[in-house]
Amino acid sequence: MHPELDKCIASGVKAGLKMVIGTNGLLLSEDKIIEYKKMGLSGLGVNFHSVNPEQHDRYMGTFNAYEKMTKAIKLCIKHDLHVQIHNTVTRSNYKQIRDIANFSKEIGASIVNFFFLVCVGRGESSMDLSPDLYEESLTTIAQLQTEMKGIMVQSRCTPHFKRILYERNPDSPYTRATGYNGGGCPAASHYCRIDPKGEVTPCPYMNLSAGNIRETTFWDIWDNAILFKSMRNKDLLLGRCSECEYKLLCGGCRARSLTQSGNLMAEDPNCNYIPQGGKEIPVMDIHLTDQVTWTPEAKERLKKIPIFLRGLIKKKLEERAVAEGVPVTKDLMQRHKIEREKELGIKLG
């Protein structure tokens, strides 16, 4: 709908970015999909609320939204555009998590992301889950991660998902990885938002600004802003989060704490876990670069991997290189990719 969407895609691609669109799919005609593909668009994240067409339409606020959305997904896959399904889990659909994952796999999506509402702005409503329903929903998603083949199943905006994964399997790659997939919420540590006015905030759900890129360089803000430094310091956490043995893996959602309690570092109100007084569980260090040599070609290929997966894949490649006693090369990366595709039953980018 944005009048300059084409320009945004083109300028991003020219700058070397991996460009994707978040959409409800209602206006995605086949002509538009073909046009975006030619421009270099990498993929789309499509909002999907319910396997019940009438419920999906009500949530989207328009008739035939379900039909238009499913048609758009099929057209994207037909034209070889990567598709992720994005579902926001609420009290009206949390019992459909397994059905939504199955729908996503059957229609041909490569990833299904379950987002959990951060109640800010127009999201401050009765749709949010109780802490017990959060726990139930996240447990279901954790089960699906290990059960489902042919599609990746992930949870977003749920730092305490790391605790649930760790309880199920301490060696889970989803739990132990650093980068975007590890260390709880990535806000201010691996991720931030730059709004249209240039304000740099920890995440889209916070209006607290660490600085403005029209006045200060981005890296100066990222490295030196007091707001970001404070959020990276887990010793500043309060309440149950300060006492929790999972605070390094998790740390709670700072946006929810700020909105619901007025204190950025307060305990996460959506987590029902009671700390057990155990030793803090560290985030695994994935850097093995002192033991591993990367060829220039392999380094270039690594840069093409999406940032949210790069750390985990880098770790796996370096572990493999150490085990085989070889450097990381393009050939090693290709062999690893082919084996992962067979294991997962999906085509990787």
Side-chain angles (χ1 to χ4, degrees):
M1 293 179 66
H2 194 286
E4 295 190 336
L5 181 59
D6 294 1
K7 292 182 181 179
C8 292
I9 296 172
S11 62
V13 171
K14 184 178 179 181
L17 299 175
K18 194 176 184 70
M19 299 300 291
V20 297
I21 293 175
T23 176
N24 57 23
L26 298 184
L27 300 180
L28 273 178
S29 66
E30 187 164 15
D31 288 344
K32 275 290 182 186
I33 290 169
I34 294 172
E35 179 185 350
Y36 292 151
K37 173 72 175 178
K38 288 180 179 178
M39 294 175 65
L41 187 73
S42 296
L44 299 101
V46 182
N47 298 333
F48 178 72
H49 180 68
S50 171
V51 293
N52 181 296
E54 292 78 17
Q55 186 179 357
H56 179 85
D57 289 358
R58 285 197 303 271
Y59 188 80
M60 293 298 172
T62 185
F63 293 109
N64 299 322
Y66 183 94
E67 180 182 346
K68 292 177 181 178
M69 177 268 303
T70 52
K71 181 180 178 180
I73 293 173
K74 291 175 182 177
L75 285 171
C76 288
I77 293 169
K78 172 186 172 182
H79 292 286
D80 199 29
L81 267 177
H82 174 89
V83 175
Q84 299 184 17
I85 298 297
H86 292 174
N87 171 261
T88 298
V89 182
T90 69
R91 279 194 285 210
S92 66
N93 69 357
Y94 77 94
K95 292 184 178 180
Q96 299 181 30
I97 287 175
R98 189 172 291 274
D99 292 333
I100 290 168
N102 286 328
F103 167 91
S104 302
K105 178 181 177 180
E106 289 168 7
I107 204 169
S110 56
I111 299 174
V112 55
N113 285 315
F114 290 99
F115 287 83
F116 285 72
L117 192 67
V118 180
C119 291
V120 299
R122 288 181 293 176
E124 293 186 53
S125 67
S126 60
M127 289 194 301
D128 203 21
L129 304 174
S130 68
D132 288 344
L133 290 183
Y134 265 88
E135 193 84 3
E136 178 183 334
S137 300
L138 292 174
T139 299
T140 299
I141 295 170
Q143 293 168 348
L144 289 171
Q145 280 189 338
T146 56
E147 293 172 8
M148 295 196 73
K149 302 297 181 183
I151 188 169
M152 292 180 68
V153 182
Q154 304 193 87
S155 176
R156 298 299 188 202
C157 299
T158 50
H160 47 291
F161 187 47
K162 300 294 167 50
R163 185 228 341 136
I164 291 173
L165 290 174
Y166 190 89
E167 289 172 338
R168 290 172 55 84
N169 175 15
D171 296 319
S172 165
Y174 292 98
T175 309
R176 306 301 289 155
T178 58
Y180 188 77
N181 283 321
C185 175
S189 61
H190 300 85
Y191 170 87
C192 68
R193 172 185 67 159
I194 303 174
D195 78 6
K197 295 181 180 179
E199 300 294 340
V200 183
T201 73
C203 81
Y205 308 112
M206 290 188 203
N207 288 324
L208 295 178
S209 176
N212 190 298
I213 58 169
R214 300 178 188 274
E215 302 167 358
T216 311
T217 66
F218 172 79
W219 289 111
D220 188 28
I221 295 171
W222 179 263
D223 292 333
N224 301 315
I226 294 175
L227 174 61
F228 282 8
K229 284 185 174 181
S230 298
M231 291 184 64
R232 294 167 190 158
N233 186 354
K234 299 299 178 73
D235 290 335
L236 298 180
L237 293 171
L238 302 172
R240 285 178 295 124
C241 285
S242 70
E243 304 167 355
C244 186
E245 58 270 35
Y246 293 97
K247 73 178 184 180
L248 299 180
L249 273 181
C250 170
C253 175
R254 299 299 100 219
R256 291 190 179 100
S257 298
L258 179 64
T259 300
Q260 296 182 45
S261 73
N263 191 318
L264 179 67
M265 305 307 287
E267 64 184 43
D268 188 332
N270 293 106
C271 176
N272 64 0
Y273 181 72
I274 304 299
Q276 302 299 302
K279 185 179 179 180
E280 288 182 5
I281 299 167
V283 177
M284 179 180 287
D285 182 6
I286 65 168
H287 301 291
L288 302 173
T289 48
D290 58 335
Q291 303 177 45
V292 178
T293 300
W294 284 71
T295 65
E297 295 80 9
K299 289 181 180 179
E300 285 302 311
R301 183 165 179 171
L302 183 68
K303 292 178 182 178
K304 297 178 181 179
I305 296 172
I307 188 67
F308 55 89
L309 293 173
R310 193 178 302 160
L312 178 60
I313 293 174
K314 180 176 183 288
K315 169 184 176 292
K316 293 297 183 183
L317 289 168
E318 291 185 339
E319 286 179 344
R320 182 167 186 162
V322 169
E324 295 183 12
V326 297
V328 179
T329 64
K330 284 182 67 176
D331 177 67
L332 180 85
M333 297 176 80
Q334 184 64 18
R335 285 193 285 115
H336 183 75
K337 174 176 176 284
I338 292 171
E339 290 172 11
R340 287 292 290 157
E341 286 178 337
K342 289 181 180 179
E343 180 183 345
L344 295 171
I346 61 175
K347 185 73 174 176
L348 300 174

